[in-house]
Amino acid sequence: MRDGLEEDETQPRRPRLVYPFETVPEQGTGQAVEVAPGVLWLRQPLGGSLQFINVWALADGEGWAIVDTGLQTKETSQAWRAAFAGVLGGKPITRVICTHLHPDHVGLAGWIVRKFDCRLWMTRLEYFQCRMLVADTGREAPEDGVRFFKAAGWDEDAIENYKARFGGFGKAIYALPDSYRRLSDGEDFDIGGRTWRVVTGQGHSPDHACLWCPELDVLISGDQVLPRISSNVSVFPTEPEADPLSDWLTSLAKVKAVVPDSVLVLPAHNDPFHGLHARIDHLISGHERGLGRLASKVVEPKRAVDVFGALFARPIGPDLLGMATGEALAHLNCLMHRGVVRRDTDAEGVAWYGAVEVVETTV
């Protein structure tokens, strides 16, 4: 599962971020770079356009707390074994903290917590929705999903591909433990004698947890704030009327209000950086510009698949169709909630989005 589309590098409003580390850990080798006292940076392989995910080991007494895990693959488990025996010094893993439910973050959590008889820590919504999605493994595609993508304008080949791929979410996730420890927004807890605070966000996933340590001036941001990628924000067949983009924009503003700009940001993808507030401003303004382009695009009614050009710089092929459709619908739903766009459904069940006419009145 991809987490986002890379942004257009030529955007003139792109902020200048500071990347303080010249040395990066080699992915899949178990190597690590210390980015703050007791905080190790490792990289696990993903393949595809993202190539890797950053994961973190936090010194925790006589052992290590792990934040995010990578996918359930042979290569990733081998990399963790190398890290356990190497840079982590053979010490036990005390807990596994997952920022959110996506397979590249939670894929090997079940394996690690069983191996070390420790606890999985997640927010409640992330844990239970992950369990729900994994339970779809092997199911036939539901009719609700077929109707959802037909309404978005998918052709029969795309629908057949959806049916063939449905239920694949759980294939990259080792069986989750049957119990967990809940993380809650604003909660403070101790790791290795230092206080870490949970700062949650919504939109990219149901209740994504960032971890902020004021003493170290470090923020583990997961996918909530990435330096070069705009995290995917999508509408899914399970909640077709959702407005995740409004949730996302609100969450970004919340992170900016709560977490100081001085932090070293440790993202799940790309490199650690300084410049949190500038990056958040850029992400918010980028989505607002996209919403403006989209509103102009639907002066004449369009389907969801007709508006990709207003949102994405790259061509959208079959491999990106699902993610692009979800994100287009997130922007369209946001505009509907703002009262700017209306939706009409034709006799074939296809949804058409058009601009709401503004009626001028005189007094």
Side-chain angles (χ1 to χ4, degrees):
M1 173 173 291
R2 294 182 175 89
D3 287 310
L5 291 168
E6 290 205 9
E7 297 176 352
D8 183 356
E9 293 281 351
T10 65
Q11 289 188 64
R13 299 178 182 85
R14 191 182 187 90
R16 289 187 177 274
L17 306 179
V18 176
Y19 299 93
F21 298 101
E22 295 183 2
T23 301
V24 302
E26 186 176 349
Q27 67 185 50
T29 63
Q31 296 178 357
V33 172
E34 187 173 55
V35 294
V39 180
L40 299 184
W41 169 25
L42 301 90
R43 278 183 167 168
Q44 303 295 23
L46 289 182
S49 61
L50 288 180
Q51 298 185 347
F52 60 82
I53 180 174
N54 299 321
V55 298
W56 315 95
L58 313 179
D60 192 14
E62 297 301 315
W64 297 92
I66 298 298
V67 182
D68 289 337
T69 69
L71 296 168
Q72 178 194 218
T73 64
K74 180 179 178 181
E75 293 77 14
T76 308
S77 58
Q78 287 177 339
W80 274 119
R81 288 189 181 97
F84 296 150
V87 294
L88 302 184
K91 296 179 180 179
I93 303 305
T94 59
R95 64 192 110 177
V96 176
I97 303 170
C98 290
T99 57
H100 62 296
L101 60 82
H102 292 154
D104 53 332
H105 297 260
V106 77
L108 278 178
W111 175 67
I112 296 174
V113 299
R114 288 178 175 89
K115 181 178 179 66
F116 290 96
D117 191 24
C118 61
R119 185 72 76 189
L120 171 64
W121 293 43
M122 293 180 75
T123 64
R124 176 183 283 172
L125 279 174
E126 298 289 336
Y127 175 77
F128 282 107
Q129 185 155 331
C130 190
R131 292 279 299 267
M132 180 192 78
L133 291 170
V134 168
D136 282 338
T137 304
R139 280 186 60 201
E140 290 187 2
E143 187 58 34
D144 280 1
V146 173
R147 283 196 298 268
F148 176 86
F149 289 114
K150 283 185 176 179
W154 283 20
D155 61 23
E156 287 303 318
D157 286 343
I159 294 293
E160 289 304 313
N161 188 41
Y162 162 69
K163 291 179 178 178
R165 296 176 63 181
F166 182 82
F169 182 92
K171 294 178 181 179
I173 298 178
Y174 195 97
L176 289 176
D178 293 311
S179 62
Y180 78 113
R181 198 281 199 185
R182 177 159 58 111
L183 292 170
S184 299
D185 185 44
E187 171 189 4
D188 290 339
F189 62 94
D190 179 273
I191 300 178
R194 293 188 172 94
T195 298
W196 291 77
R197 177 167 297 172
V198 181
V199 181
T200 60
Q202 293 76 42
H204 175 63
S205 66
D207 199 25
H208 181 296
C210 301
L211 303 177
W212 169 38
C213 180
E215 179 183 342
L216 294 175
D217 208 21
V218 161
L219 175 72
I220 298 177
S221 66
D223 286 341
Q224 187 68 37
V225 184
L226 302 173
R228 296 192 180 99
I229 299 171
S230 179
S231 299
N232 181 248
V233 178
S234 281
V235 172
F236 297 99
T238 47
E239 193 181 357
E241 307 300 327
D243 184 10
L245 185 55
S246 290
D247 294 337
W248 175 249
L249 296 173
T250 299
S251 296
L252 288 171
K254 168 190 167 183
V255 172
K256 182 180 177 182
V258 170
V259 182
D261 192 38
S262 58
V263 294
L264 172 66
V265 184
L266 306 182
H269 306 286
N270 311 129
D271 291 354
F273 69 96
H274 287 289
L276 174 66
H277 290 186
R279 180 57 179 156
I280 287 174
D281 289 343
H282 184 260
L283 288 167
I284 292 173
S285 64
H287 280 294
E288 291 293 348
R289 292 194 301 274
L291 288 166
R293 292 193 300 270
L294 186 57
S296 299
K297 184 85 171 179
V298 297
V299 170
E300 296 295 329
K302 300 287 191 301
R303 304 167 300 171
V305 296
D306 299 327
V307 302
F308 294 159
L311 299 173
F312 310 117
R314 70 170 72 179
I316 301 300
D319 59 327
L320 294 175
L321 179 61
M323 185 172 65
T325 300
E327 185 131 0
L329 288 168
H331 284 73
L332 288 165
N333 281 8
C334 181
L335 288 175
M336 285 199 299
H337 280 84
R338 293 183 180 187
V340 176
V341 164
R342 71 180 191 281
R343 179 182 63 212
D344 298 302
T345 303
D346 66 21
E348 303 299 320
V350 177
W352 294 84
Y353 299 84
V356 171
E357 293 183 11
V358 178
V359 179
E360 295 186 5
T361 60
T362 58
V363 179

